[in-house]
Amino acid sequence: MNVPLLDLKAQYATIREEIQQVTQEIFESQYFILGPHVDELEAQVADYCIAKYSVGVSSGSDALLICLMAADAGSGDTIITTPYTFFATAGSIARVGARPLFVDIEPDTYNISPDKIEQLISSLDAAARSKLKAIIPVHLYGQCAEMAPIMEIAEKYGLLVIEDAAQGIGAEYRGQRAGTFGDFGCFSFFPSKNLGAFGDGGIVTTNSDEWNQKLRILRVHGSQPKYYHHLIGGNFRLDALQAAIVAVKLKYLDGWTRARQKNAAVYRTLFADAGLEQIQLPVEKQSRHIYNQFIIKVPEKRDALRQHLQDAGIGIEVYYPVPLHLQQCFAYLAHAKGDFPFSEEAAQHTLALPIYPELTAEQQAYVVEKIKAFYA
Ligand SMILES: *Cc1c(COP(=O)(O)O)cnc(C)c1O
């Protein structure tokens, strides 16, 4: 049996006509950059996330970058984030010339630990504390970070909060949607995300009039009015084609999320029936986990298991094999193995299983059967 990690062709088959109609319209109009389709998507995403504004941008990575630029983050600033995330989270900090200050994760949810953020800040002297600019929590795998204590810490020390919600569109913390707690919420429309475009794209949510305006100016090279620049921005524009495609898909997102949640429940039953208690399944702590990934943590032989499943035709992935504090490009931060033990443990022992909406119960049974066979 073949079980891919993600089957975007199956999803496309269900929306082909609608997508073709809207893309055809845009081809005929020859209006490709920003414009009415982007405006419409921005209104819809703001609505969906229950945020005041949203600003379409060129990717999830650029969403992070433009927020850091809006915040005037640069050399001399430090920004707190997690070492266990996709590279862009910390990469964007380094790109504006600021310094990432890593804080370890919680071992059950893989999200940044608020207690450890507080410990870190408490341990800094006054000079180091005055350099702190922001916190970037990541809603990893589709589950919100512990936003209440994170916001409390941010308020206490006067820090901005930029949520990396690239994996978390529609996720909720105590009933509130991801991307609406901090100053900014950053989302990605990379094709493999829960709400994916047919190329690169992203969006930033904010509840602030000023941030909204500044993001819109930075998105077009800091131009306001056209060809007058009092800020240096970049080309962070979203395409009309991507916006229109994402708008079609947004209507189906809640249905797809329910299917992912159902698949997660099916896995839980299958693992319990198989007696695989030694494997840690995702720990749901927040009110709406959207399962961008279904992550298992195994006690031993992760890489051999990965090979075994791949040989059986099952698409699996490791998110992420090397935590960011041990990446070569961050050697200048002078970290060593052992600095963030829970991130290192997760990097060594976790595996993502297929969880996409169109996955069948039969395919899931096959996946769990192969895992059981491996440990037998
Ligand atoms: C995907 C992702 C990004 C980057 O998004 P792109 O659209 O690929 O640039 C940033 N952060 C996290 C946590 C992601 O998963």
Side-chain angles (χ1 to χ4, degrees):
M1 191 184 289
N2 186 40
V3 189
L5 183 63
L6 182 64
D7 189 355
L8 289 172
K9 284 184 190 166
Q11 186 189 71
Y12 180 54
T14 67
I15 53 174
R16 182 181 284 115
E17 268 85 66
E18 276 179 280
I19 298 274
Q20 289 184 348
Q21 193 186 326
V22 72
T23 49
Q24 209 56 47
E25 257 174 52
I26 292 170
F27 292 155
E28 292 305 323
S29 79
Q30 291 289 302
Y31 194 123
F32 293 120
I33 306 288
L34 297 175
H37 286 287
V38 172
D39 295 345
E40 211 170 295
L41 179 71
E42 288 176 344
Q44 288 167 2
V45 169
D47 223 42
Y48 186 80
C49 294
I50 315 178
K52 200 162 171 191
Y53 303 106
S54 87
V55 181
V57 294
S58 31
S59 69
S61 304
D62 284 345
L64 292 161
L65 187 61
I66 198 173
C67 293
L68 288 163
M69 289 171 77
D72 291 321
S75 74
D77 294 324
T78 56
I79 292 169
I80 292 171
T81 195
T82 162
Y84 189 61
T85 175
F86 179 62
F87 179 78
T89 316
S92 63
I93 297 170
R95 280 189 64 191
V96 296
R99 196 176 171 89
L101 204 50
F102 292 123
V103 168
D104 208 3
I105 55 170
E106 297 186 327
D108 50 358
T109 63
Y110 312 108
N111 279 323
I112 194 167
S113 158
D115 289 343
K116 294 206 171 100
I117 298 176
E118 178 67 58
Q119 280 166 26
L120 170 75
I121 298 177
S122 306
S123 75
L124 299 175
D125 62 24
R129 234 184 252 190
S130 71
K131 291 183 177 174
L132 287 174
K133 182 94 184 176
I135 306 174
I136 307 185
V138 180
H139 305 311
L140 201 67
Y141 305 142
Q143 173 160 244
C144 284
E146 283 288 345
M147 290 313 293
I150 290 172
M151 291 311 297
E152 233 170 78
I153 293 166
E155 242 157 75
K156 180 171 161 191
Y157 297 102
L159 307 177
L160 295 171
V161 173
I162 301 168
E163 297 172 59
D164 183 340
Q167 299 180 11
I169 189 154
E172 292 177 5
Y173 174 84
R174 298 183 187 170
Q176 187 178 336
R177 292 244 153 146
T180 63
F181 295 87
D183 296 84
F184 307 97
C186 298
F187 296 87
S188 165
F189 300 139
F190 185 78
S192 68
K193 301 290 157 89
N194 284 23
L195 181 63
F198 284 14
D200 279 309
I203 209 159
V204 180
T205 48
T206 182
N207 286 322
S208 147
D209 297 358
E210 283 107 286
W211 288 136
N212 173 53
Q213 272 172 27
K214 194 166 184 188
L215 291 169
R216 285 172 192 286
I217 294 167
L218 288 170
R219 175 172 69 175
V220 288
H221 288 290
S223 169
Q224 159 80 306
K226 205 172 182 185
Y227 304 127
Y228 290 80
H229 302 257
H230 64 106
L231 292 172
I232 298 168
N235 172 0
F236 300 123
R237 299 176 304 231
L238 180 62
D239 287 8
L241 274 171
Q242 302 306 343
I245 288 164
V246 171
V248 168
K249 293 176 88 174
L250 181 58
K251 293 185 290 181
Y252 299 95
L253 182 59
D254 282 335
W256 291 333
T257 297
R258 276 191 298 276
R260 285 173 180 270
Q261 290 167 335
K262 193 204 89 204
N263 293 344
V266 168
Y267 271 136
R268 288 182 197 282
T269 307
L270 288 167
F271 273 94
D273 291 351
L276 291 164
E277 282 87 14
Q278 75 273 35
I279 295 179
Q280 187 189 304
L281 303 183
V283 175
E284 272 194 40
K285 283 200 173 165
Q286 305 314 336
S287 50
R288 192 173 189 245
H289 192 321
I290 62 152
Y291 287 99
N292 181 69
Q293 308 296 350
F294 188 91
I295 300 294
I296 62 170
K297 184 151 76 184
V298 301
E300 53 173 2
K301 298 195 213 141
R302 192 270 315 268
D303 292 330
L305 172 63
R306 179 187 191 178
Q307 194 57 53
H308 171 79
L309 296 177
Q310 272 168 347
D311 292 346
I314 299 166
I316 41 155
E317 190 50 274
V318 171
Y319 301 110
Y320 301 89
V322 182
L324 300 186
H325 66 287
L326 300 177
Q327 294 287 352
Q328 209 175 353
C329 66
F330 287 133
Y332 68 92
L333 296 172
H335 283 298
K337 244 189 196 145
D339 281 2
F340 304 106
F342 290 133
S343 297
E344 292 167 30
E345 189 214 14
Q348 269 173 33
H349 292 279
T350 62
L351 201 62
L353 303 183
I355 186 77
Y356 62 92
E358 298 79 10
L359 190 68
T360 65
E362 211 183 1
Q363 288 174 308
Q364 291 188 271
Y366 176 75
V367 171
V368 176
E369 188 189 299
K370 290 295 167 194
I371 295 173
K372 187 177 178 182
F374 177 80
Y375 284 107

